[in-house]
Amino acid sequence: MFDILIIGSGGAGLSCALEAKKRGQRVAVICQSNPTNAATCMAQGGLNGVVYTDEIDTPSLHVKDTLKSSVGLANEDRVTHMCEGAREDILWLDSIGMPFSRKKDRIARRKFGAASQDRTTYSQDYTGLKLLHTLYDSCLKEDIEFMNNSFVLDLIVENSTCKGVVLLHIDTGEIKAYKCNAVVLATGGYAGIYHGFSTNAIESTGDGIALALKHGAKLSDMEFVQFHPTSLKNSSVLVSESARGAGGFLVNDKGERFVDELMTRDEVSRAVFLQIQKGNKVFLDIRHLGNEYISKNLPQEKKLIYIHEHLDPSLEPIPVSPAAHYSMGGIDVDENLQSSINGLYAVGECSNTKVHGANRLGGNSLLEIVHFGRYLGKNINEVSLHVEIEEHEKRVKKELFKLLSTKKSDTFFPLRDKLGLELFEKVGIFRDKKGLREIQDKVEKIHNEYNQLSISDTNLKDNYWLVSHLKFANSLVVAKAVIYSALKREESRGAHYRNDFKNMDKQAKHSFVEYEDIRFKR
Ligand SMILES: Cc1cc2nc3c(=O)[nH]c(=O)nc-3n(C[C@H](O)[C@H](O)[C@H](O)COP(=O)(O)OP(=O)(O)OC[C@H]3O[C@@H](n4cnc5c(N)ncnc54)[C@H](O)[C@@H]3O)c2cc1C
């Protein structure tokens, strides 16, 4: 029996695990594949924070920039908590071996969009990768238990209290229920549901969010999906903001610069998208930075650009377009990071800690996952309650065997493509009531088609098709929550831009969604 089960081995999950273990808790981290296979590894640009007290930058300037970018929707207390704690978090990372890039004797910092100071710490452009490997190494040193290749099928919730989880151990095919005193969802964001139009990996389907919602947790601000202005045109692979921060220009095919590249991401994305809608091509031009600078500071980006666009960014401009990148909304949590279900906590991109509001500042997510991951590990409350876990194991097995015994079998892949395209077109950078109503109906149809499908491989062992199939069901739930919330918000604010409600309401309000609001209708 574990005290705490942490679902997700990204930066949020591992930061939480390290601090909880320090308090003597018996912790296990569950991840659907290998521990370092998480979105955190993909982060290139950096992690924000004021590190030195003898420079111009201060935590209050960081708070000010974050609140401005959030367009009134962030919680000032939590933003202050995060920005004031950043120094200690960065020095902690440094102390456990994070190989930050350095300038002379100091941790180096660079400029990111909408930041008033050069405040983003980094490790070349492998920041997330180095961060996650450093955390994972520390977890190994601390003997933290991992359950790899273990997919969370369901939560065990009784009387509004979470008492454990049911897992599919993919390697063995075993379905097993686990009891614990607290469950932490650290399952990452949902921008991957914009399949084909997202910088995220296909695994970012918002599983924890869908599971929590089904069991009665509230979600908030789900309509706020951040589009990144510079993803590679043919693959949606990200070119980090560090390229614009270093002085990269955005130009159209007439050679015109059409936007201040360092405005907030929502503004730059809209400007890029409007160019594309006019029939113009858009390029990120970093040739003037020179090969030496690019190879030294942006080596990963250079490689990815070569692999996906077959060009050398020191010689040619890079074709780009916006893609879904980050989810500001998620599981609504209180100041202790507890969801509306007792004993069920959420941290990282799957949660809405309300530090990003309507528009996240680049570099603030890596800070959030480390800061609030650690905070939760230090403060989590446990409730030990009785539960008959075998009943839950039987229930989940029965549901799964029903799916596997259905005669008709087909792949959901075309439905995933369809959902991604529809979301990009109708719940994308610009939205309106007509498009949102249309997609609401279309998603119901997709869901109906999905419910007719089964899986031809009926083995439970190593059945990755089954796992992807189940993850698509989570995508559908999350997509409905995004559409529902986008329809409800009749204003334009940050990343949510309504062509039919272009103005912003005087008062900023959070939006909420519950399972009853989006339940599948036949
Ligand atoms: C390309 C890219 C570049 C980025 N660059 C930056 C940057 O420079 N700076 C910045 O601040 N932010 C950046 N971000 C955002 C940032 O990386 C993420 O918001 C952050 O890493 C999320 O961390 P997390 O721990 O919440 O989740 P993740 O790192 O996504 O981890 C989620 C974990 O949950 C597990 N999981 C999910 N579902 C299940 C399930 N059903 N069962 C079991 N396990 C499950 C996964 O296996 C994984 O281990 C970037 C994002 C991307 C995609």
Side-chain angles (χ1 to χ4, degrees):
M1 153 109 180
F2 295 97
D3 297 323
I4 304 168
L5 286 174
I6 299 173
I7 327 263
S9 60
L14 298 193
S15 301
C16 179
L18 283 166
E19 294 295 350
K21 183 73 200 264
K22 231 188 251 173
R23 287 169 62 204
Q25 316 275 30
R26 184 156 178 223
V27 186
V29 179
I30 295 156
C31 50
Q32 64 198 350
S33 56
N34 297 315
T36 52
N37 188 354
T40 300
C41 260
M42 298 166 81
Q44 302 167 349
L47 181 156
N48 291 342
V50 177
V51 193
Y52 299 104
T53 49
D54 57 351
E55 296 181 358
I56 301 167
D57 201 9
T58 59
S60 51
L61 284 175
H62 187 182
V63 171
K64 199 172 159 197
D65 291 344
T66 304
L67 292 177
K68 189 172 170 207
S69 178
S70 79
V71 209
L73 213 60
N75 176 312
E76 190 166 349
D77 288 346
R78 289 193 210 166
V79 171
T80 306
H81 194 285
M82 178 177 84
C83 297
E84 286 184 348
R87 178 169 190 271
E88 206 269 308
D89 293 322
I90 292 168
L91 295 179
W92 173 74
L93 286 172
D94 195 36
S95 75
I96 61 168
M98 167 86 181
F100 283 111
S101 293
R102 289 185 132 80
K103 277 190 190 147
K104 296 192 180 151
D105 59 338
R106 298 204 156 193
I107 292 173
R109 276 122 319 130
R110 60 183 165 206
K111 189 147 193 76
F112 254 39
S116 59
Q117 305 291 326
D118 295 3
R119 184 185 296 131
T120 308
T121 64
Y122 56 94
S123 190
Q124 287 186 306
D125 60 354
Y126 290 102
T127 314
L129 183 102
K130 306 276 181 184
L131 169 72
L132 199 60
H133 281 257
T134 306
L135 292 172
Y136 182 53
D137 282 351
S138 297
C139 288
L140 293 180
K141 275 186 216 146
E142 297 302 326
D143 244 351
I144 288 171
E145 289 184 53
F146 279 82
M147 294 192 214
N148 302 344
N149 295 315
S150 299
F151 179 72
V152 176
L153 292 166
D154 207 0
L155 304 172
I156 300 176
V157 179
E158 289 175 352
N159 305 323
S160 274
T161 303
C162 187
K163 300 175 177 179
V165 298
V166 185
L167 303 183
L168 166 64
H169 294 295
I170 303 169
D171 290 347
T172 59
E174 188 186 13
I175 295 170
K176 198 165 158 39
Y178 292 84
K179 177 181 171 353
C180 61
N181 299 337
V183 170
V184 173
L185 293 171
T187 44
Y190 54 86
I193 66 172
Y194 287 73
H195 187 68
F197 302 88
S198 172
T199 64
N200 287 204
I202 43 175
E203 287 86 12
S204 296
T205 45
D207 294 2
I209 298 173
L211 289 173
L213 180 71
K214 279 189 199 163
H215 282 284
K218 262 190 204 160
L219 310 182
S220 55
D221 301 333
M222 291 294 287
E223 65 277 30
F224 292 105
V225 176
Q226 179 167 74
F227 284 79
H228 199 291
T230 59
S231 79
L232 295 179
K233 186 168 171 269
N234 295 311
S235 59
S236 297
V237 165
L238 182 78
V239 185
S240 155
E241 205 153 290
S242 45
R244 275 175 293 132
F249 302 138
L250 281 167
V251 289
N252 61 22
D253 44 1
K254 299 179 182 90
E256 297 160 343
R257 273 178 86 176
F258 53 85
V259 66
D260 169 357
E261 288 83 358
L262 290 180
M263 291 202 303
T264 49
R265 285 185 180 169
D266 58 329
E267 291 168 306
V268 183
S269 289
R270 278 196 289 275
V272 171
F273 197 63
L274 282 173
Q275 287 289 321
I276 294 170
Q277 280 187 325
K278 276 190 211 161
N280 293 337
K281 289 181 182 139
V282 176
F283 299 91
L284 176 65
D285 194 346
I286 58 170
R287 287 175 293 178
H288 53 287
L289 300 180
N291 189 33
E292 198 185 327
Y293 179 91
I294 295 169
S295 302
K296 187 169 170 225
N297 294 290
L298 311 170
Q300 179 176 200
E301 283 157 70
K302 185 176 172 179
K303 229 176 256 171
L304 289 172
I305 291 161
Y306 183 74
I307 293 169
H308 294 280
E309 296 288 338
H310 313 294
L311 61 84
D312 177 348
S314 62
L315 300 175
E316 288 174 76
I318 313 151
V320 290
S321 64
H325 179 59
Y326 181 83
S327 23
M328 268 82 72
I331 302 163
D332 197 60
V333 289
D334 63 17
E335 62 283 2
N336 300 315
L337 305 183
Q338 187 169 229
S339 72
S340 39
I341 297 173
N342 290 329
L344 182 66
Y345 295 80
V347 68
E349 197 175 333
C350 70
S351 73
N352 183 9
T353 25
K354 307 196 179 72
V355 290
H356 308 302
N359 187 40
R360 173 176 73 97
L361 208 55
N364 264 2
S365 173
L366 290 187
L367 171 60
E368 179 201 4
I369 62 176
V370 175
H371 181 76
F372 287 108
R374 294 184 71 207
Y375 175 79
L376 183 57
K378 286 175 195 170
N379 294 292
I380 193 162
N381 283 326
E382 300 171 39
V383 231
S384 180
L385 293 162
H386 176 75
V387 56
E388 300 285 342
I389 54 170
E390 294 77 16
E391 293 304 311
H392 292 275
E393 206 172 278
K394 270 191 216 150
R395 170 180 59 80
V396 174
K397 273 186 186 162
K398 202 172 150 195
E399 283 165 18
L400 212 56
F401 290 141
K402 194 174 154 206
L403 166 71
L404 294 174
S405 62
T406 309
K407 290 241 166 54
K408 190 181 162 197
S409 142
D410 208 345
T411 167
F412 67 94
F413 294 156
L415 298 182
R416 184 169 69 183
D417 291 344
K418 209 193 260 185
L419 179 71
L421 176 65
E422 289 288 340
L423 286 170
F424 184 70
E425 287 183 344
K426 305 205 171 72
V427 208
I429 293 168
F430 295 102
R431 298 132 186 224
D432 61 33
K433 188 172 183 173
K434 185 171 168 282
L436 290 168
R437 285 262 182 249
E438 274 169 22
I439 189 173
Q440 226 173 10
D441 292 344
K442 283 203 177 136
V443 174
E444 286 300 326
K445 266 192 204 143
I446 293 175
H447 204 163
N448 216 343
E449 281 178 54
Y450 171 81
N451 281 347
Q452 317 295 318
L453 302 179
S454 181
I455 317 262
S456 58
D457 179 357
T458 53
N459 282 318
L460 283 174
K461 187 175 168 325
D462 289 327
N463 196 339
Y464 291 95
W465 181 5
L466 170 65
V467 171
S468 306
H469 184 92
L470 297 171
K471 283 179 81 67
F472 185 63
N474 291 331
S475 301
L476 286 166
V477 170
V478 171
K480 287 184 195 186
V482 173
I483 299 162
Y484 175 86
S485 310
L487 257 171
K488 266 190 24 183
R489 187 173 290 279
E490 296 189 331
E491 61 159 349
S492 291
R493 182 183 297 274
H496 172 76
Y497 194 94
R498 290 274 304 244
N499 275 330
D500 48 351
F501 292 97
K502 291 188 174 159
N503 294 331
M504 185 157 59
D505 289 351
K506 275 204 186 103
Q507 213 191 339
K509 285 192 198 126
H510 295 287
S511 68
F512 295 94
V513 51
E514 294 183 42
Y515 195 44
E516 273 313 305
D517 299 323
I518 56 118
R519 194 184 270 280
F520 174 67
K521 294 172 203 79
R522 220 164 276 271

